Amino acid sequence: MLSRPQPGESEVDLLRFQSQFLAAGAAPAVQLVKKGSRRSGDANLDQPPQQDHRDVVMLDNLPDLPPALVPAPQKRARPSPGCPLPEHEDPEERLNRHDQHITAVLTKIIERDTGSVSVNLPVPSGVAFPPVFHRSQERQGNTATSGKRSIFAQEIAARRLCEARVPPLREVVSALDPPEGAVTREALVPKEQGSQLPRSSHRFQGPHLVTGKGLRGQEAEQEAQTIHEENIARLQALAPEDILQEQQRLLAQLDPSLVAFLRSSSHMHKQAGEKAMEEQWPQEPSVKITGREPIVPTSPSKPRQEDELEPGAPAVALPVTPNREWLHMDTVELEKLHWTQDLPPLRRQQTQERMQARFSLQGELLDPDVDLPTHLGLHHHGEEAERAGYSLQELFHLTRSQVFQQRVLALHVLAQVVGREVLDSTFSWYRGALVFPLMPSQEDREDEDEESPGEKAKRKSSEEGDQPPSDLARHDVIKGLLATNLLPRLRYVLEVTCPGPSVVLDILAVLVRVARHSLESATRVLECPRLIDTVVREFLPTSWSPMGVEPTHSLHKVPCATAMKLLRVLASAGRNIAARLLSSFDLGSRLCRFIAEAPQELALPPEEAETLSTEALRLWVVAASYGQGGDLYRELYPVLMHALQALPRELSTHPPQPLAIQRIASLLTLLTHLTLAAGSTTPEPGSDSAEASLLATPPLITWTQVSGLQPLVEPCLRQTLKSLPRPETWNALGPVPTACLLFLDAYYQAWSQQPSSCPGDWLQDMERLSEDLLLPLLSQPTLGSLWDSLGRCSLLCNPESCAPVPEAVPSLVSLGCTGGHHPFSLPGSASPFPFLTALLSLFNTLAQIHKGLCDQLAVVLAAPGLQNYFLQCVAPVATPQLTPFSAWALRHEYHLQYLALTLAQRVATFRPVPATRAALHHGMALALLSRLLPGSEHLAHELLRSCVFRLEFLPEGASGGPEAADFSDQLSLGSGRDLRYGRGVLLAQACQDLPSIRGCYLTHCSLNQASLLASQALPRGQLQRVPALLLPVPKEPLLPTDWPFLPLVHLYHQASNTPSGLPPADAVGTAMRALQWVLLLESWRPQALWAVPPAARLARLMCVFLVDGELFRETPIQHLVAALLARLCQPEVLPNLNLDCPLPGLTSFPDLYANFLEHFEAVSFGDHLFGALVLLPLQRRFSVTLRLALFGEHVGALRALGLPLPQLPVSLECYTGPPEDNLALLQLYFRALVTGALRLHWCPVLYAVAVAHVNSFIFSQDPKSSDEVKAAGRSMLQKTWLLADEGLRQHLLHYKLPNSALPEGFELYPQLPPLRQQFLQRLTSGMIQKGVSET
């Protein structure tokens, strides 16, 4: 039984299946039955179905040309069975009976009389054939017609015009048949006079609608003239209003299409008349087309008003002068000739608006202001014709062109645009194989936070599916390309058309860039039907014809390094993809084929052979990173040993060859990962069963198979270190010593984990390496120069050193730079980061295994260059903007910082560290923790476990730091404070509670568990747990800038989401540990909180009081919050307190403050610390909304604000000045004072504030004030003068200055100043006079 056709089978396969089926002679599963005719009804239902012959496709017997299309017979309508046609009914009568339109009764049809029509015989000619018409001949009397006309139609029209050249002057040309008559000069008079109403000023030349055509001779003209005169008489007898009314009524009754036809016919008649007048009076100047004159359209049927230039408009300059004798130039269209003009001047960008990126044919980004010549082929007639280059949308359009050359050009440019990157040259760095996806980070909407990841993915996929490719490309170029079915098209080009080498390389470069985009894109490339099969079969063959250095005409059936790179990038996207590539496409045999032979023996051009061997080694490295490909090591062990033995000879070549250096570094990187695979650890007891079974699988490589590699690699390291004093040679050999150090790191790490090895052996070997190699290296002055150049090449300290070319568009992520990187930059050739990072990694492994080497290795931490670099990183500088390139560069820089801090932490365990260096390391650890990006979760976790909360990095706790804090508070706050609960005591207690504080933050700053395990797998040598070498998209740092306040924020959210209102478990301990840590940072590491604005710190402190009604009453909480509030109210911090700016994690501070007031009114019971936090945002310089919220909506809370004036954390002048100008708030102040809601012994602070502002308002005599404000002030003063409360009246009238030392909080005038006294007397005397008059 034959199977159904499968996806991917071609037409040839279908024909082969057909031949097999016919040869078998089996009965078909489906029979073809011809149905009976529908017209015959059910008459043939009883007949058996007719069997048709089998339909067999025979390609050989098909004709070369398709059959001619014969018109099908016309269909005849059949009457419906339910509605038969009447047999004896006149169709005309039936139509007239049903025709109810007004046009049915307007006119009576009169048959045309053809008896008087003259018949013209053909003119006899003396020649056998008529004369041939030439376009160059001038024809007089050319009629005005609409649209394009053939030569035959033009000849017929010209002949008719000649025959009717001499008509009677009164004859009127019908508007519906313009070629049969001529238009006289008098016919143009109504057009020139305008379209006025028919009065004495209008001249009627003759009938235009009724012509008498079809009547006999003189009767026709007489009858038409009689009707015309009757119409004129009736029109002149009517008033203009009646004419317009009849016109509107008639238009309403007529069919709109008929009205439009009559108007268009009249318009054509007028234009025909104008054209005829122009031809009859040639002496008048006509419009001629020249190179400097405006082009006027001459088409009579389609007048273009937009092409007619105004008298003052400049003429359009054309490079050539159109001539009427040219083909199709009798009608000149201005818009179609614009392309012949010179390019418009290049517009300069005057604003900051983003411009469309344009690229050259080499894929280089062109400057928007560059002015290039047109012969370069970069100008076209699309958008922005004056700018050179092609945009991405235009390139996408060209990729779908039917012209093969245009598709090739577009693919070449796209390949050049997307193929510029630096990831290949840094593959052998520390964790260099792990890269970020090259995809734009799209900002999620606010409402997405509540969605699960699965719901987000489904919604995004549905939204992207509904968008056209052009819209997708505006946000993500790669997604836009994939939406155009690019992958099947590229597969077709590679498999069927077999293009040239340049096109093949461009297509492979595009596929590499698509695979680097994301895991989804890499999966689509892998699953595209026959795409990877074609790449492997055509461009990675195991046998090929030898090739020389001369260019080849085809890359098919020839090994290509770019194809190997494509497979390597695909394998980097995930371990499952790597496993599928190795198992389904037989990559093992191909890797053996390209690695087993030396590059010079591969029968390929030298550069291509070196690159192919390098990419094959890198693909094996990626597979080894997942613990795969171990069986290849056993097969290629002799080859690898021979290659290692040849390394010293290759490294001695001068000058070093860059491609050979990259191949050697890739070989050493491969040995590093194979060594890690041999030392993979076993799972811990109690772990997940599936994961444990995966980890329990024995590795394909054992330790005995890699234990002999170190004696071969160490001489290479010694040889390369000899070139350290020679910068040129050292920079050329840079990747090799880095790879050697990383191999030794992995070697000792795996050796120490072998249970069958003797610890004394590896400890002794470490001592030997330290004495013979590492300590002499540390004493070299050249190494100090490498440390000194860290700040110069750092992206944090010197952002301009790594400034890449501006990325073309945000939708196309690129890590490349046009022209390469500067040598003294992080990815540059002279960068010290790769070597120093590898050196610190080796030092950490040695210090972790051999504790006795810590003192010797600690010398590296005292390098002045490293100390200066840390000082620059800790300084309050703006973090570089997070772009794809900066994220990639910063990740490598953070590796060096983390390894240096880890080594410092190991050294601090065994020997005391100078206080200044310890404080610097602690500050560096805090700064690094807040900057780490996704993919570095294990670094953040280790920093929280070790460096951040380590007492050795807080030397202030043991060197008089708490006492210095108390002394500082006494100097700034006075000596009246109780030192038993001072800041020094709190800091000392915090130092003792550091282990508990660390546990608190490890709980509340916990990272995603899956991401943490994936990040820890490779550093710990657990290769079976490595999911992919593709890191998450770096949208933002792992921890927020205010991470020290995270426990408080979590408590607030837990309390808000708890319906019962019960406080979270251990709320007191969590809040106390978080406040202790924040106080410690505020006192000793203030630079760690510089990124958190003071307003955000205040909001986080307010969360402590919003958790529940009892937490803030705890004594430790009270003391810690009071200390933090005092730090927030310091003179150097208070001016930076801005409550109006947007705060991180907070939608609106007024909303938080309203909730805070409601909570204060409910549970505070007059707590002074709670009241101090309520009063702090009420300062005069803050928003009036906060004060209106208290005095308008929560006036009852005034009775609980009993904070004494001496305990106010800020000066009273911050509340009283400048004078309040909000009338509504002033009225609320006065009402609260008068009604007794605000009293001196209840709320002394706000009582003094309200009295000050009301006094300033009632005695204000500002002439610029509005009448409403002046009236309110006089009314308030009158009411104050009439108050029965003498004390309040005295305070409001005699207020002088604020003074918090007095019980009232302000000073009083003994008597009013003269100006105020006069103003009060004038106002009160008016009141008395008014009262007497009323009496």
Side-chain angles (χ1 to χ4, degrees), residues 761-779:
D761 295 339
W762 71 65
L763 294 177
Q764 212 169 22
D765 194 78
M766 291 178 183
E767 294 176 359
R768 177 197 58 79
L769 179 68
S770 175
E771 295 176 0
D772 297 346
L773 184 63
L774 298 181
L775 293 181
L777 174 63
L778 295 179
S779 62

Side-chain angles (χ1 to χ4, degrees), residues 355-680:
M355 300 184 69
Q356 192 175 25
R358 294 189 174 274
F359 301 89
S360 68
L361 297 181
Q362 288 73 35
E364 297 177 352
L365 179 66
L366 297 178
D367 189 70
D369 300 333
V370 66
D371 191 4
L372 299 177
T374 56
H375 72 271
L376 298 178
L378 298 178
H379 295 81
H380 46 82
H381 309 300
E383 298 179 356
E384 302 176 333
E386 70 277 3
R387 291 186 58 197
Y390 291 84
S391 65
L392 291 175
Q393 285 76 16
E394 292 164 354
L395 292 174
F396 293 158
H397 182 72
L398 285 179
T399 57
R400 291 175 285 178
S401 173
Q402 295 182 355
V403 183
F404 180 74
Q405 290 81 359
Q406 292 182 353
R407 296 199 302 269
V408 170
L409 176 65
L411 288 175
H412 173 73
V413 178
L414 284 174
Q416 296 296 326
V417 170
V418 304
R420 299 176 178 270
E421 56 188 38
V422 297
L423 299 179
D424 293 340
S425 60
T426 60
F427 184 84
S428 299
W429 286 16
Y430 178 81
R431 308 286 185 261
L434 282 77
V435 295
F436 289 110
L438 297 185
M439 64 180 299
S441 56
Q442 300 177 355
E443 296 295 335
D444 297 336
R445 299 177 300 184
E446 294 181 358
D447 55 352
E448 294 180 1
D449 294 337
E450 300 179 358
E451 298 179 359
S452 63
E455 295 175 351
K456 288 184 182 180
K458 292 181 181 179
R459 180 181 51 76
K460 288 185 178 180
S461 61
S462 61
E463 290 178 357
E464 293 172 358
D466 298 337
Q467 295 181 3
S470 57
D471 294 344
L472 280 176
R474 298 182 186 276
H475 301 90
D476 195 326
V477 172
I478 304 301
K479 286 185 178 180
L481 280 175
L482 294 177
T484 61
N485 292 330
L486 176 72
L487 299 180
R489 297 182 181 190
L490 295 182
R491 190 272 311 162
Y492 176 82
V493 173
L494 292 176
E495 185 181 20
V496 180
T497 64
C498 298
S502 62
V503 178
V504 170
L505 293 177
D506 292 340
I507 291 176
L508 293 176
V510 171
L511 292 176
V512 169
R513 180 58 183 83
V514 171
R516 286 197 186 278
H517 176 265
S518 60
L519 174 61
E520 177 186 1
S521 301
T523 305
R524 293 185 63 175
V525 173
L526 178 66
E527 295 179 350
C528 180
R530 303 203 310 274
L531 177 58
I532 302 301
D533 290 320
T534 302
V535 172
V536 174
R537 182 181 65 253
E538 299 293 337
F539 307 110
L540 292 175
T542 56
S543 61
W544 62 92
S545 301
M547 297 180 58
V549 295
E550 63 276 0
T552 181
H553 300 289
S554 176
L555 283 182
H556 286 69
K557 303 301 180 181
V558 177
C560 180
T562 310
M564 187 67 72
K565 177 181 177 180
L566 172 62
L567 300 181
R568 187 250 301 177
V569 174
L570 287 175
S572 300
R575 65 179 304 113
N576 294 332
I577 296 179
R580 289 179 60 183
L581 289 174
L582 289 175
S583 60
S584 303
F585 299 98
D586 193 22
L587 290 186
S589 61
R590 285 171 167 79
L591 289 177
C592 292
R593 174 67 178 86
F594 301 127
I595 297 176
E597 292 188 61
Q600 58 270 17
E601 300 175 0
L602 283 177
L604 292 172
E607 293 185 359
E608 183 69 16
E610 287 281 2
T611 309
L612 179 61
S613 180
T614 302
E615 289 299 336
L617 291 171
R618 288 174 178 173
L619 176 57
W620 194 0
V621 169
V622 173
S625 300
Y626 305 130
Q628 302 170 1
D631 52 344
L632 297 176
Y633 180 73
R634 292 192 297 269
E635 298 179 16
L636 296 176
Y637 182 81
V639 176
L640 297 178
M641 293 300 102
H642 181 269
L644 281 177
Q645 294 171 1
L647 286 186
R649 184 179 66 256
E650 295 188 34
L651 292 175
S652 61
T653 305
H654 186 77
Q657 300 299 322
L659 294 179
I661 294 302
Q662 289 292 335
R663 177 177 52 82
I664 294 172
S666 300
L667 174 61
L668 294 172
T669 305
L670 171 63
L671 298 178
T672 301
H673 285 77
L674 292 176
T675 304
L676 286 175
S680 298

Side-chain angles (χ1 to χ4, degrees), residues 1318-1334:
Q1318 295 174 7
F1319 180 72
L1320 180 62
Q1321 290 179 357
R1322 183 167 61 252
L1323 188 64
T1324 54
S1325 61
M1327 291 175 53
I1328 296 174
Q1329 292 177 4
K1330 183 177 180 181
V1332 172
S1333 62
E1334 291 177 356

Side-chain angles (χ1 to χ4, degrees), residues 836-892:
L836 295 181
T837 303
L839 184 64
L840 289 173
S841 177
L842 177 60
F843 282 6
N844 269 283
T845 301
L846 297 179
Q848 179 184 7
I849 300 173
H850 196 321
K851 306 299 189 297
L853 296 178
C854 290
D855 290 342
Q856 301 177 10
L857 301 178
V859 180
V860 72
L861 299 174
L866 181 61
Q867 301 297 318
N868 295 332
Y869 170 68
F870 278 176
L871 288 173
Q872 295 179 37
C873 294
V874 172
V877 294
T879 305
Q881 184 181 3
L882 196 60
T883 62
F885 177 80
S886 65
W888 174 84
L890 289 174
R891 181 173 177 272
H892 288 285

Side-chain angles (χ1 to χ4, degrees), residues 1007-1074:
L1007 305 168
N1008 183 271
Q1009 191 66 18
S1011 301
L1012 178 60
L1013 292 177
S1015 177
Q1016 291 174 340
L1018 191 58
R1020 293 183 177 181
Q1022 301 171 351
L1023 302 185
Q1024 290 81 4
R1025 283 181 175 174
V1026 178
L1029 301 183
L1030 205 61
L1031 300 171
V1033 180
K1035 295 183 179 180
E1036 57 184 2
L1038 286 173
L1039 295 178
T1041 55
D1042 60 341
W1043 67 267
F1045 296 92
L1046 274 183
L1048 301 179
V1049 176
H1050 288 171
L1051 284 178
Y1052 170 71
H1053 288 307
Q1054 291 176 11
S1056 302
N1057 298 330
T1058 303
S1060 61
L1062 297 176
D1066 196 22
V1068 176
T1070 301
M1072 185 175 68
R1073 304 309 177 199

